[in-house]
Structures are given as C-alpha cells and as structure tokens.
Amino acid sequence: MDLYKRIKKEDKVIYKAIAGEWERQADGLELIPSENYTSPAVMEAMGSILTNKYSEGYPNRRYYGGNEFIDQIETEAIERTKKIFGVPFANVQPYSGSPANLAVYVAICKPGDAVMGLNLPDGGHLTHGWKYSATALFYKSIPYHVREDGRIDMEEVRKLAHEHKPKLIWVGATAYPYLYDYKSFMEIADEVGAFVAADIAHVAGLIVAGAHPSPAAHAHIITTTTHKTLRGPRGGIIMTTARGIAKDAELAQRIDKAIIPGLQGGPHNHQTAAIAIALKEAATPAFKSYGKQIVRNAKALAESLKKNGLKLVSGGTENHLLLLDLVPVFGPGGGHFASDALEIAGMTANKNTIPKDPGSAFYPSGVRLGTPALTTRGMKEAEMKKVGEWVARAIQEAHKYRLPTETKDRPAYLEKAKKELKRNTNLKKIRQEVRIFCKKYPLPHLART
Ligand SMILES: *Cc1c(COP(=O)(O)O)cnc(C)c1O
C-alpha cells in the first residue's frame, strides 16, 4: 500500500481503515449493482491539486479569478457528455446524483407542484418523491407502481398523470431489472404537458455501450450519477435534450441557475476532471464491450441462481441487476438473513424490497445483486456460474431463520442470527473459496504492495 504512504505516516487511524477497505474490496465479491471500480487515472484526478480551487459559476463566467485551467477542464467534461449521450446541453457540477435530481425540481417546479416517480418500495429512488425525501416534503409526490410481474404499470401512470397533471414525471429506478420504456412515458407526459426527466443513474454505462435504449429522444431532461455503470468518480450530471429545449427554450439556463445559486456553491473541480477522464474512457470500444458483458454476465448469473433453486423477480433480467425473491426461503422479510450470510461468505449485496413485498421497507423480502463491478474485474459467464453457486450456498446456510412477527423482537433476533452465521463453518469455507478466487481477478487499481 505504497500509494498511501503519506497517510500512513500522518494518520494511523485513517490509514488502517483505508487498508482494511482495500483488502475488503480486493478479497470479496462486490455484488451491489450501484458500485464499481474506477480507473487509476480517475483516482489520480480525484487526488489532484484541483481540489484546492474555488470556481463558483460556469466556464468563462466565474466569481473567482484564476480559473483558466479549470475552465478548460469543465468545458471538456461538458463537451464529452454532449457527444457521448447525444444531447445539446450538460451541467457537470452536481455533487452527486441526489443533488442533480433536486436541481431538476428547483429548475422546473414551484413548491407544492405535483410530481410523479416510481414508488421507492417498487424500486424507485428516494429523490423521485419518497415520503421522507425533501422531494416529497416540498413537492406533491404522486407515486406510481409496478405490477405483480415487476413491470411498471403504464396504465396507472397514464391514469395518475391525467388525474394530477404533474409538472414533472421521473423515469428511472434503483432496483428495476427491466429496460425502461421511455417512449411511452414521453407520450403520457405530452398528453398532460409534463416534463419527463429520465434518471439513468444505474444504466448510464449500458446506454453508452449500446446495451440499453437511450432516452435522449424521449425525455426533456436526463440526470445521471457518474460512479455506477459509467465507472467514473462519485458525481452527477444533468443534461437537457433537444426535446427539452423545444419545450422550454430557457430550460438549460434554468438548470444552471438551479445548481448555482439555487443549491450549490463551488464545484468540485477534482471531481469534474475525473468525470472528464471517465467519459473519455467510456467513449472507447473497450467500454462498449464492457457494457455488453455486464448484461451477458447478469443473464448468466440469473441462470445460475435459478439452477441453484433461487427465485428471481421477473424470472431474470434485461439489464445489469437482479432481484432475488426470498419469500420461498425465509417467508416475509428475510432479506437481512440473506445479506448477512452473503457478507460473512465474502459477497456484498443489499437487501431490497420486491414487488408487493410482504415484508416492509426496513425488513424487505429480497436481495439486489448486480454485475458491473465483477465485470470490471474481468469476470465472464463461466465465473458468474460459480458466483451463483456461492450465493445460493450462502443463503441456504441461513434458511432456518424467520423474521419475528413482533417488531420489537426483531433487532435482537437478527443480531443473534448474525452471530450464529458468523460461526457457521460452511460460510467460513465459502469465504475462503471466494478469497482464493478473487486473487485471480485483481482490482483495476494499482498492484497491491
Ligand atoms: C444512485 C441513484 C441516485 C442518487 O445518487 P447519489 O449519488 O447516491 O446521490 C439517483 N437516482 C437513481 C435512480 C439512483 O440509482
């Protein structure tokens, strides 16, 4: 860990934690679909002197002096975004995906305006109007849902849109294994005069690779994170499409103003440079193959999980993520047991709600898995077969647990279950197999020392 030798010298506490995290990332299987391993060049930019500079404003329109080089960097990031996604306007300053989304509300809605988004327990994101999010506190949130089969209920979307006349309709999610039907959303929005914002946080890299349809022709606004399938640093981007500008000639300016002075101060210039580098990487043929492989791997993982006796929402996947329906294993609310068993066995995943979840948002009945990070490590279909077996074996080790019906009994029960799982020798055995396997697929980052 030569890379962090200055931290090692100056701050032992933080150094030890970083070293621990390094080992965790290198020796385990990352199955969280929103995570990835970014490139060494992106890392370098994140650790660069650019973090020292203030540059409130936009290229050639700054409140501070000394921004000649920062302007070059931000302009490059904007131009690369426009080219790669085929849009006429981009703002690359959002600190992350959530502030990017909030800026969209600020740009086009007044407090109290009706907005629509996919309900969080149905796979939607917090910022699409979940009841505890600022987006529901300040705007009138009308959630839409998925049908029994897990697909978005477009009939309900149309009915709610006509009933509530929303200003803004979100399309995008965090736990949705199907492709998005951007065109149908656009048609409904046109019927009621709403703006459509496509939130492609999860699928941006797939879109760039041609492994998922692009919303560029069927949305007014596109928002994305830069750190999920796009494989850049943490960050956010807001794009305005030609369609958006045709609907509101001032839309791009409104979005710029919503970011600053509306919501943010100085941009994170180190992050902007890292985003620019990630976009250059994403424009290569190698990235196209990467994006296509993510989807092939997800399909292979789905097959392996099913072959090993697990049930998937929708029976499979059309993108990079899978939702395990664990009701057949644990009854309602067993997501915790599965994610604990997986973690102990060296696989990181997150518990998640499934459509019509018989558990709750806090005690969901599913687990969400994805292949972007494993694909970055160079794994292919054959490796996914193995990963599926390990996942199934680990979950099997926890199968006897049942979530207590009394809410107050749950924390203690979960703690006890986790303690027992930690002592489980079969899980320890899987952990060891996973560790050995991972050595063959080093992180794209600098060699371990
Ligand atoms: C991850 C995600 C976001 C938020 O991104 P953060 O960077 O975590 O703020 C927004 N929308 C969707 C659909 C996401 O998946």
Side-chain angles (χ1 to χ4, degrees):
M1 296 256 305
D2 242 16
L3 184 62
Y4 304 122
K5 57 179 185 284
R6 289 183 185 82
I7 304 175
K8 189 176 183 179
K9 215 168 138 203
E10 186 171 315
D11 189 333
K12 292 272 183 300
V13 174
I14 296 301
Y15 175 78
K16 263 189 82 178
I18 295 178
E21 173 63 11
W22 181 296
E23 292 292 321
R24 193 195 66 81
Q25 290 192 17
D27 292 345
L29 293 170
E30 184 53 73
L31 288 161
I32 296 175
S34 49
E35 295 192 11
N36 214 328
Y37 303 103
T38 195
S39 75
V42 165
M43 292 278 190
E44 252 177 45
M46 286 302 276
S48 71
I49 41 90
L50 298 171
T51 196
N52 295 339
K53 185 75 194 102
Y54 246 114
S55 23
E56 285 183 355
Y58 290 101
N60 308 313
R61 294 179 282 138
R62 306 281 186 186
Y63 294 93
Y64 293 78
N67 276 303
E68 177 189 354
F69 301 105
I70 301 299
D71 280 1
Q72 288 173 18
I73 289 166
E74 189 170 332
T75 303
E76 199 58 41
I78 291 169
E79 291 308 314
R80 289 177 190 178
T81 303
K82 285 159 57 173
K83 188 150 180 238
I84 207 171
F85 289 102
V87 293
F89 165 86
N91 185 312
V92 296
Q93 292 193 10
Y95 299 146
S96 209
S98 301
N101 286 355
L102 191 55
V104 172
Y105 291 84
V106 171
I108 63 179
C109 300
K110 284 204 252 334
D113 277 352
V115 296
M116 283 174 56
L118 181 60
N119 195 36
L120 179 124
D122 289 54
H125 191 258
L126 286 166
T127 57
H128 297 183
W130 179 238
K131 57 188 169 189
Y132 304 121
S133 154
T135 59
L137 299 177
F138 301 146
Y139 304 94
K140 186 176 167 220
S141 170
I142 315 289
Y144 59 86
H145 304 84
V146 295
R147 305 181 310 209
E148 204 76 49
D149 66 356
R151 268 189 209 272
I152 292 170
D153 183 347
M154 294 310 294
E155 275 173 38
E156 187 201 25
V157 174
R158 175 168 274 117
K159 189 178 131 271
L160 291 173
H162 280 271
E163 192 178 326
H164 296 280
K165 301 277 182 304
K167 202 61 165 290
L168 170 65
I169 302 177
W170 287 100
V171 48
T174 67
Y176 190 64
Y178 294 107
L179 301 179
Y180 297 100
D181 180 4
Y182 297 119
K183 193 155 168 279
S184 298
F185 272 93
M186 193 73 231
E187 285 163 11
I188 293 170
D190 279 346
E191 289 164 18
V192 299
F195 282 91
V196 170
D199 179 347
I200 60 168
H202 261 262
V203 293
L206 305 185
I207 290 171
V208 170
H212 187 287
S214 163
H218 305 296
H220 302 107
I221 298 162
I222 301 171
T223 65
T224 188
T225 55
T226 48
H227 49 278
K228 297 180 184 173
T229 50
L230 203 52
R231 213 161 61 176
R234 308 198 81 79
I237 299 178
I238 310 174
M239 299 166 239
T240 308
T241 65
R243 203 168 187 138
I245 288 169
K247 181 168 167 67
D248 176 356
E250 300 287 307
L251 187 56
Q253 289 72 35
R254 278 188 223 288
I255 287 168
D256 277 354
K257 282 190 196 143
I259 287 290
I260 174 166
L263 286 167
Q264 297 189 170
H268 294 177
N269 298 311
H270 57 301
Q271 188 181 30
T272 309
I275 288 172
I277 293 167
L279 290 166
K280 185 167 186 211
E281 292 172 359
T284 59
F287 191 89
K288 277 211 164 54
S289 320
Y290 165 64
K292 294 201 166 90
Q293 189 65 46
I294 292 176
V295 177
R296 282 199 293 270
N297 281 354
K299 289 183 195 288
L301 180 59
E303 284 317 306
S304 175
L305 292 166
K306 284 195 286 185
K307 238 180 104 194
N308 287 284
L310 289 167
K311 185 179 171 198
L312 291 168
V313 171
S314 93
T317 178
E318 295 178 353
N319 56 26
H320 62 300
L321 70 79
L322 316 143
L323 273 175
L324 279 174
D325 174 351
L326 296 168
V327 176
V329 185
F330 301 110
H336 275 275
F337 305 126
S339 72
D340 284 352
L342 288 169
E343 185 165 352
I344 291 160
M347 295 171 277
T348 322
N350 64 289
K351 57 189 182 303
N352 214 98
T353 48
I354 55 170
K356 317 281 177 215
D357 200 310
S360 65
F362 200 71
Y363 296 101
S365 308
V367 157
R368 189 179 70 148
L369 305 172
T371 53
L374 297 189
T375 308
T376 293
R377 293 179 83 159
M379 296 179 198
K380 297 222 164 77
E381 288 92 329
E383 286 81 2
M384 292 305 112
K385 193 163 168 258
K386 264 188 107 86
V387 172
E389 286 162 14
W390 277 319
V391 169
R393 272 170 61 194
I395 290 175
Q396 182 57 29
E397 291 302 318
H399 79 279
K400 68 170 189 197
Y401 297 109
R402 292 291 175 274
L403 190 72
T405 38
E406 292 290 329
T407 315
K408 66 169 178 24
D409 299 337
R410 290 173 177 176
Y413 184 87
L414 285 170
E415 207 174 307
K416 188 167 157 276
K418 193 166 183 178
K419 252 196 198 135
E420 286 171 12
L421 289 169
K422 274 188 181 155
R423 289 196 300 264
N424 179 306
T425 48
N426 288 334
L427 288 180
K428 281 188 192 157
K429 193 157 162 278
I430 300 172
R431 179 72 192 94
Q432 197 47 27
E433 290 170 23
V434 165
R435 199 187 303 278
I436 293 164
F437 176 80
C438 282
K439 301 249 187 274
K440 283 194 285 184
Y441 304 93
L443 301 189
H445 204 36
L446 307 165
R448 301 163 76 188
T449 54

